[in-house]
């Protein structure tokens, strides 16, 4: 995850309303060091990207479904 991009998103009054899911490019490595800075910068979630393309698309769809249908994000002033 590009932490500089996440930092800019969290600083911007309008962009900070967008849910952000961080992704690790190294499948199978739990607790990857990039996870902690991403969550400390207010990423809403963190996942490890699957290597298989079809599985990757499935994960992206599940994330979309979760944030569109399930999550109710708080209103920001």
């Amino acid at each position: 995850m590009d932490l500089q991009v996440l930092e800019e998103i969290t600083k911007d009054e309008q962009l900070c309303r967008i849910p952000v899911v961080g992704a690790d490019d190294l499948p199978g490595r739990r607790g990857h060091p990039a996870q902690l800075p991403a969550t400390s910068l207010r990423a809403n979630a963190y996942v490890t990207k699957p290597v298989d393309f079809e599985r990757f698309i499935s994960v992206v769809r599940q994330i979309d479904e979760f944030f569109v249908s399930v999550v109710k994000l708080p209103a920001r002033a």
Side-chain angles (χ1 to χ4, degrees):
M1 163 163 244
D2 189 332
L3 296 177
Q4 290 175 325
V5 171
L6 181 56
E7 188 172 10
E8 290 301 315
I9 289 171
T10 58
K11 287 180 185 177
D12 186 284
E13 190 174 305
Q14 292 190 3
L15 293 179
C16 72
R17 298 169 192 239
I18 300 169
V20 175
V21 178
D24 186 347
D25 288 330
L26 304 168
R29 287 186 56 190
R30 294 186 181 270
H32 187 267
Q35 181 178 0
L36 295 175
T39 53
S40 70
L41 287 171
R42 299 187 339 191
N44 299 96
Y46 194 87
V47 298
T48 298
K49 288 191 277 186
V51 177
D52 178 77
F53 183 72
E54 284 81 25
R55 180 73 183 126
F56 172 74
I57 295 300
S58 174
V59 168
V60 170
R61 286 186 178 134
Q62 290 174 46
I63 292 168
D64 179 56
E65 178 71 21
F66 177 70
F67 277 104
V68 171
S69 300
V70 178
V71 172
K72 302 295 182 222
L73 296 173
R76 298 197 187 193

